[in-house]
Amino acid sequence: MLFSSKIPDSRLVVILGAGDLATGIACRLFRSGFAVVMTELAQPTAVRRTVAFAQAVYDGKAEVEGITAVRVGLHEVAATIRRGQIPVLIDQDRSCVTALSPRVVVDAIIAKKNTGTLRSHAPVVIGVGPGFTPGRDVHAVIETMRGHNLGRVLTDRPALPNTGIPGNIGGYTTERVLRAGADGIFQGVMAIGEQINAGDIVAYVNGQPVLAPIAGILRGLLHNGLKVFARMKIGDIDPRCCREHCFTISDKALAIAGGVLEAILWLDQGINRYGSQDQRIRKTLYIPANNKTTTKIL
């Protein structure tokens, strides 16, 4: 066991992924008193790097809204948590889940599919976004589609499937996303937070310029030197032109984070009462499809 008695195992949460949505979840849980550990790839492809703890992989540490995350090895996790920081592990195969035995695992990789998370990984396992089925591979799913159900805890159905169309911000959807025009090495020439005009060169991929399709604030941009493929998302423009949005957790991430916190507290009640989420626990669910409240066996 890697943890001292000062860090209750019942408060330990492992979040898979450290992009902007996962970081929003981590910040909300951290502020709510949970001990949070995050995992990432050796070369993260987070676009909203100024609000993603994934940046700690490159820089050693990252700070978002006053909370600091640091890249560490597994043996440094407990000490990092005791310092009031969030450990970020380079761990692609979820080996830290076995080593740490957390109370909660949150898959916030946002791969639009399940890349290997199992309900048996922890007493409470939560999937964020499409690709997970409650009761089969996770205990609950959090809706990530913008709209009425954003952040809703789902225990009776999966999240809505990915449409491939970015959410509407300031009247723009696909136009606000920057994509690579070819395979190659990415090199940004503008900085997150800069104001740009339509037609400005934002980056290069293999020497080919990537032009801004609309005017706005550059809200996200890949880390330099990454190998990308054609049509890969490499940046994000916010037409609302509020620079502060580039450096604070988004409304979407906050809504999803609230759903994760609700799911943990709700499911944990079942564990405390019945001993396991895999037992048949009676819950009262709100089912939006028929606008009725019903009792369902999970």
Side-chain angles (χ1 to χ4, degrees):
M1 178 59 65
L2 294 174
F3 293 93
S4 74
S5 59
K6 295 182 180 180
I7 304 175
D9 292 349
S10 62
R11 306 297 285 178
L12 180 61
V13 180
V14 169
I15 301 176
L16 308 177
D20 65 300
L21 297 184
T23 298
I25 295 167
C27 287
R28 176 148 287 179
L29 296 183
F30 180 88
R31 290 179 178 134
S32 300
F34 288 90
V36 177
V37 178
M38 306 185 80
T39 71
E40 253 300 344
L41 304 175
Q43 290 190 315
T45 55
V47 167
R48 295 209 59 211
R49 294 182 291 115
T50 50
V51 287
F53 287 142
Q55 193 61 26
V57 173
Y58 296 113
D59 298 340
K61 67 177 181 179
E63 183 175 317
V64 177
E65 296 192 5
I67 298 173
T68 300
V70 293
R71 185 191 67 228
V72 299
L74 190 61
H75 65 286
E76 302 170 284
V77 165
T80 304
I81 291 174
R82 286 195 293 269
R83 288 197 303 268
Q85 299 174 322
I86 295 177
V88 178
L89 302 171
I90 298 175
D91 181 5
Q92 187 169 347
D93 60 6
R94 298 169 173 80
S95 60
C96 75
V97 172
T98 300
L100 299 176
S101 299
R103 178 77 159 191
V104 180
V105 169
V106 180
D107 188 328
I109 296 172
I110 318 296
K112 313 298 191 300
K113 61 181 180 181
N114 188 344
T115 59
T117 293
L118 302 174
R119 193 177 55 176
S120 59
H121 278 158
V124 173
V125 179
I126 299 167
V128 179
F132 306 98
T133 301
R136 187 178 70 187
D137 45 14
V138 295
H139 297 107
V141 172
I142 310 302
E143 181 59 70
T144 56
M145 182 76 73
R146 288 185 183 273
H148 179 72
N149 287 322
L150 175 63
R152 188 178 295 278
V153 180
L154 306 174
T155 57
D156 61 331
R157 62 190 185 280
L160 293 172
N162 179 38
T163 64
I165 301 174
N168 188 315
I169 294 180
Y172 295 94
T173 56
T174 56
E175 304 94 333
R176 65 180 180 82
V177 176
L178 298 170
R179 298 191 182 277
D183 298 349
I185 303 302
F186 171 84
Q187 187 68 39
V189 296
M190 300 190 77
I192 294 174
E194 282 194 72
Q195 189 154 356
I196 57 178
N197 297 310
D200 285 351
I201 297 176
V202 178
Y204 290 91
V205 175
N206 266 12
Q208 297 183 21
V210 178
L211 306 180
I214 61 172
I217 293 285
L218 187 60
R219 191 173 70 154
L221 200 64
L222 275 183
H223 186 79
N224 281 341
L226 287 175
K227 187 175 182 179
V228 300
F229 54 86
R231 300 300 300 161
M232 178 177 171
K233 181 178 178 179
I234 59 173
D236 178 13
I237 299 171
D238 190 337
R240 297 170 295 187
C241 294
C242 180
R243 190 172 185 275
E244 179 188 0
H245 292 174
C246 302
F247 305 98
T248 53
I249 299 167
S250 70
D251 55 344
K252 179 176 181 179
L254 289 173
I256 293 169
V260 171
L261 178 58
E262 177 189 341
I264 291 173
L265 297 178
W266 178 19
L267 294 172
D268 211 38
Q269 289 178 24
I271 293 175
N272 292 335
R273 183 176 179 184
Y274 295 94
S276 171
Q277 278 303 326
D278 290 327
Q279 295 180 25
R280 296 171 67 82
I281 302 172
R282 285 190 176 270
K283 292 291 183 181
T284 300
L285 303 177
Y286 176 71
I287 310 297
N290 56 19
N291 203 32
K292 293 180 180 179
T293 300
T294 183
T295 298
K296 191 177 184 70
I297 298 292
L298 299 185

